[in-house]
Every structure is written in structure tokens, then in C-alpha cells.
Amino acid sequence: MSTRFDPELVAVFGGLLALLVVATAVGAVLRRRVTAAGARATVENAWQRIVAWWGMCAVFAAATAIGPLASTALFALLSFLALREFVTLTPTRFADHATLVWCFFVILPLHYVFLAVRWYGMFAIFIPVYAFLFVPIRAALAGDVEHFLERTAKIQWGLMVAVYCVSHAPALLLLDLPGGAGATPKLLLWLVVVVQLSDVFQYLAGKTLGRRPVAPTVSPGKTWEGLIVGGLAATGVGGGLGFLTPYSPVAATGMALLLVFLGFAGGLTMSAIKRDAGVKDWGSSLAGHGGVLDRIDSLCFSAPILFHLTRWFLPGSV
Amino acid sequence: MNHPLTPVLIAAVKLLCGAHARWVGCAPEARQRIYVANHGSHLDTVVLWAALPPALRARTRPVAAADYWSRGFRRWLADRIFRAVLIPRGVPNASAEEREAGARAAVETTAAALADGSSLILFPEGTRHPGAGVAPFKPGIWHLARMRPGLELVPVWLDNLKRVLPKGEFAPVPFLASATFGAPVVLAEGEEKGPFLDRLRNAVVELGRR
């Protein structure tokens, strides 16, 4: 009970609420003032993003308040939606149907069940070992050899990114941190806040100051100016919110810097896949943001590293 | 009007395949229309139906094959949830007269549903087409258009549903699917059967190329 209304958690969610209120007010003013055609589209997109943020924050806060199982279930749903977006853009063939049925309805749920029952060993190897071997075996039994390695690799990649990597965010709840059971939801909140604010700050800094793209062929919207200014701002926030983590303020700042970098790298990598597939967004389920995978690509790459570094630095924590 | 379980079914369909609606050729207006779509999967009916805004959905009935939808759970779905218009399908090895009588009964049943003021969902290919393209349209839709001059036939392209649930498979795979609604086709004065069916089919095929 005490974990649910932890004063630090309440304070941070209160801060997020204040941030949303300010963003909504600024957005409402901009929508009235800005009339130029080019800027208009940007403002409308920003407004849609703010509206979607209200929904995302509300769902995340509700899951945190209900408890670890609800948070795990929420991330299982995100994995399902992300995998759905991933395979939609992956040119699989009719023969892959059965393999994909296994991925969605057996492998994904089982992986999250291992997490929910806190079976760490199985959680850690189920997808990289068992599913990795199962997918090509099932595909070979289906008998279609055309582009076999390519198709199989894409399905394995989808499982790794959309299921395995994403699940390392709720896996933080498995850790046995100093500070008792209330410590892990705070670490999860810290991860999500740092990584998502980093995306927002980089977007804002890129829109206002952006000049030189980091990788123009992959994502013209990601600029050095956006990365450095937005990334440093998010790192600062991560250090300031270090009380949510088991780390000292200096270590929390360093960790936030690493997460910001990984989040950027995740966004860039997933952009390369989208470019290759010839699309701009993974889907259209979150108005203004694109698909679920557009929103959590940075989390995919940062969550597993935060999880494993925390296990490394705090031995015996699982 | 709607069954209380309808929202549950719609939510399940959206979780499975998104059922995203794209209105590119017309707006979702509350007027009587026939939605004419390509057919590749058992899910086509429910996805197109789920993609409609609730107000339009409440007055839109799918036209479906009586032999498939007449038993058990499907029967319940067809009657209570979709309020489907069930029509006989061509029987293999039927004589010419039997075939003609079946076709006439199908057109009459469908026309009666139109007379009630309902909009319809119709798959003029007649059956699920396993390949990549769209099969030739059956003439029933032309007869309906002649009975109701000025009625708007909205071409709809259903994308990706063959991947979600291909013909012959039991379990679906969640892919994002969409329904694209094109510009309405209206039967021209004196337009012949062949040219009209080609024009309508092309309107559907063109949406798939966008």
C-alpha cells in the first residue's frame, strides 16, 4: 500500500501534470496566434501530440497506482501493438502465418508470464534462445524457401525489439533495490520520464535551433543541435530526479546521459528500418506521434541497458 | 439499435488489426449508400463494419452468404450483431434455371433491405479471392443500382486482411489493416451492365494502388 502513494512518486506525477497543463496552455495560445500555413501544420501536430500525451500519462499513472502486475500488463500490451506494427511493415509471406501466430499468441504472452511470476532466468533466455531457434524451425516446416533467411531474421528482430527489449522496462520491477518494494516503480518512472522527455526536448530544440542533420539519409529531422541541447536538458532533468533511482546524483546524471544517447540511437535505428520500408511512421494509432513504435523506439534501446547496468552495479539485485 | 456486445467486438477487432478508416474520396455521411469492397478474408465484413463511424454503422448491414452464416455462433453474429442480409450463393453443378432463380432471390432480398433505408456492405466478387488481384464483379450490384437510380456506391479497398486471416487459416495474425473509402460511383443513365461493372471494379482496384 505504501508503494502506491509514495510521496516522491506523487510529486513526480504532480510535476508531469503541471508540465502537461503548461504545454496545453502554450499549445492553445499558439493555435490561436499562428496562422502562417507552414507553421500551422507544425502547431497542429504539436497539439495532437500534447493531447495524446495526456492519454499516455494517464494510462501510465493508473498502471503505476494499481501495482507491478498492471504495469507489466501495460507493457505486454505495448509489445503486442509494437510487434503488430513491426510485422505489418515486414514483407512476410503466406507461409509465415503459423510462425507469426506462435509469436503473437504463445511466445509474447509466455515471455511476460515469466516476468510476472518473477522467473528471471527464463525471462532472460526465452526469446534469445528458445524463440530464436523455434522461429526458423517452424518456418522451415512451412516449406517456403524464398527469402528464407531474410523473412526469419525479420521475425526474430521483431520479437527482440518489440517484445524482449520493451519488456526490460517492466523488468526493472523485478530488481531488489535498496529502499524496498517501493523503489522499483520509481526507477521505472525515472527511465520513462528521462527517455520520453529527451525525445520531447530533442524535438523542440531540433524544430527551433536545428541546422545540421546527424544522419541526413536516415532522418533529416534529427539534428546535432537538437541532440546536444535537448539531450543535455533531459540529462539535467534525469540528474535532478536522481532521488527516484538507487544512484547518487552524479551517477544518476551519468546514467541519464547514457539513456539519452541510447534513446537517440534507438530512434535513429528504427528510422533506418522505416526508411528502408518507405514509410515515415510505424502506424497511426497515436494521433500526432504516429504508431506505438514511434513513441517507444527510444525506450526499446535504453531499457535493457539500464536494467543490466543496474544489475551489474547493484549485485544480488535479482 | 446496436447489441450491447457490439462495442466489445469492435474493440477486439481494433486490437487485432487496427481497422483504420481512410476517407479519401468522400466524407462519412449519414446517407444511404452501398459500400462495395474487395474480398479476401473472412474478416473483411467485420473490419469494414468496424471502420465505419458508430452512427453510420448502426444503419449499415452487410450482405453475406447464407450457407456460411446460417449455423451456430456465426448465425448469432449475423443476426444479432451485424443484422446481416443473408443471400443464397451459387451452388456448384446447379442447372441454369436454379442458378437464375438463386440470383433473382439474392437481388430481391438485398433490394428489400435497401427499401428499409439501410446502407449495405457488399462484396461483388461473390467469394473470397485468394490471389493478389480482384475477381470480376457479379451482376447483382448492377441490378440493385438500376432499381435505385442515384444511389451512391462507395468503392472500398480493404488492405492487409489477407495477411491477417488468409483463406484456409483458422487463427488470425495481428497486422494493421485499413479500409480506404473512395469517391462514390453512381449508375449513369442507360449505362450497360458490362461497362458499369468494369467501372465499379476499377474504382476499387485503383484505391488499392494508392
Side-chain angles (χ1 to χ4, degrees):
Chain A
M1 208 54 199
S2 62
T3 66
R4 294 179 195 181
F5 301 103
D6 182 289
E8 288 173 353
L9 267 185
V10 173
V12 173
F13 274 116
L16 287 178
L17 183 67
L19 200 59
L20 276 175
V21 169
V22 170
T24 308
V26 171
V29 169
L30 284 178
R31 279 182 96 201
R32 270 161 185 257
R33 296 275 169 82
V34 178
T35 46
R40 186 82 207 145
T42 307
V43 170
E44 267 320 298
N45 177 262
W47 178 254
Q48 287 182 323
R49 283 175 184 243
I50 293 167
V51 172
W53 272 121
W54 276 99
M56 290 187 277
C57 287
V59 170
F60 187 70
T64 308
I66 296 170
L69 271 182
S71 294
T72 305
L74 173 63
F75 279 94
L77 177 66
L78 289 178
S79 278
F80 180 90
L81 299 175
L83 186 62
R84 190 178 77 167
E85 289 171 1
F86 193 91
V87 298
T88 298
L89 290 186
T90 306
T92 49
R93 289 164 63 85
F94 177 68
D96 297 318
H97 192 84
T99 316
L100 289 168
V101 170
W102 277 90
C103 290
F104 276 98
F105 298 113
V106 180
I107 296 171
L108 188 159
L110 265 183
H111 177 70
Y112 275 93
V113 165
F114 296 140
L115 185 55
V117 301
R118 308 178 73 85
W119 185 2
Y120 171 71
M122 198 58 179
F123 165 80
I125 65 165
F126 180 60
I127 286 177
V129 177
Y130 291 95
F132 175 80
L133 296 175
F134 173 82
V135 165
I137 293 170
R138 185 64 191 82
L141 286 174
D144 184 353
V145 295
E146 201 160 318
H147 302 296
F148 182 81
L149 183 59
E150 196 181 321
R151 281 158 40 211
T152 313
K154 282 174 174 165
I155 297 174
Q156 290 169 328
W157 230 85
L159 279 179
M160 280 303 289
V161 164
V163 184
Y164 191 69
C165 288
V166 171
S167 70
H168 280 71
L172 292 170
L173 302 170
L174 282 180
L175 297 171
D176 186 15
L177 300 177
T184 53
K186 287 193 272 191
L187 185 59
L188 174 58
L189 174 65
W190 182 77
L191 165 71
V192 172
V193 167
V194 169
V195 170
Q196 297 296 339
L197 272 185
S198 172
D199 279 2
V200 172
F201 290 163
Q202 287 181 44
Y203 168 83
L204 291 175
K207 282 275 175 207
T208 48
L209 312 167
R211 294 268 182 283
R212 280 155 295 217
V214 179
T217 54
V218 179
S219 179
K222 292 188 170 60
T223 59
W224 283 110
E225 292 81 359
L227 171 61
I228 293 168
V229 175
L232 285 179
T235 305
V237 173
L241 296 176
F243 59 85
L244 291 173
T245 72
Y247 298 109
S248 70
V250 174
T253 307
M255 194 65 89
L257 184 63
L258 180 65
L259 296 182
V260 164
F261 169 74
L262 287 164
F264 173 82
L268 196 67
T269 308
M270 299 305 277
S271 283
I273 298 174
K274 285 186 283 188
R275 268 286 128 136
D276 187 24
V279 297
K280 202 183 139 287
D281 290 326
W282 285 102
S284 52
S285 45
L286 295 170
H289 295 267
V292 169
L293 212 39
D294 291 293
R295 193 63 277 125
I296 63 171
D297 51 8
S298 42
L299 199 67
C300 292
F301 280 57
S302 48
I305 306 298
L306 174 65
F307 178 84
H308 285 293
L309 284 182
T310 304
R311 281 194 78 225
W312 174 262
F313 286 125
L314 302 167
S317 56
V318 165
Chain B
M1 196 76 169
N2 276 333
H3 192 277
L5 284 178
T6 300
V8 178
L9 181 74
I10 301 283
V13 168
K14 297 211 161 170
L15 184 63
L16 179 69
C17 59
H20 180 59
R22 300 192 300 164
W23 295 83
V24 299
C26 62
E29 286 168 45
R31 56 190 293 174
Q32 190 176 32
R33 282 167 163 169
I34 302 183
Y35 302 94
V36 174
N38 58 314
H39 199 16
S41 164
H42 275 316
L43 289 172
D44 289 340
T45 308
V46 60
V47 167
L48 175 40
W49 193 68
L52 290 172
L56 269 61
R57 195 189 301 138
R59 41 175 293 174
T60 303
R61 303 174 62 187
V63 177
D67 55 279
Y68 180 78
W69 291 96
S70 291
R71 283 184 306 275
F73 177 62
R74 289 180 204 152
R75 170 98 215 197
W76 179 83
L77 273 180
D79 283 353
R80 305 299 296 277
I81 304 282
F82 303 135
R83 297 171 302 112
V85 180
L86 296 181
I87 59 168
R89 199 156 39 170
V91 186
N93 311 324
S95 69
E97 292 97 63
E98 282 173 322
R99 215 171 292 165
E100 187 145 323
R104 199 176 306 120
V107 170
E108 276 164 13
T109 312
T110 318
L114 278 178
D116 291 346
S118 301
S119 290
L120 300 178
I121 294 171
L122 207 101
F123 302 100
E125 290 169 86
T127 186
R128 290 169 299 146
H129 185 62
V134 175
F137 280 8
K138 309 234 168 201
I141 185 80
W142 179 71
H143 292 294
L144 288 174
R146 283 219 308 176
M147 290 174 184
R148 310 283 301 218
L151 181 66
E152 288 191 351
L153 310 182
V154 177
V156 184
W157 179 260
L158 295 171
D159 194 29
N160 250 349
L161 285 161
K162 270 179 207 174
R163 294 175 78 193
V164 178
L165 189 64
K167 199 164 183 166
E169 290 291 332
F170 172 69
V173 166
F175 285 105
L176 285 170
S178 63
T180 307
F181 297 81
V185 172
V186 177
L187 181 73
E189 184 91 15
E191 190 172 8
E192 291 297 326
K193 184 162 71 179
F196 172 75
L197 292 177
D198 283 346
R199 187 159 72 94
L200 186 59
R201 183 177 167 278
N202 283 339
V204 173
V205 171
E206 277 304 313
L207 286 175
R209 298 221 180 100
R210 291 170 70 98

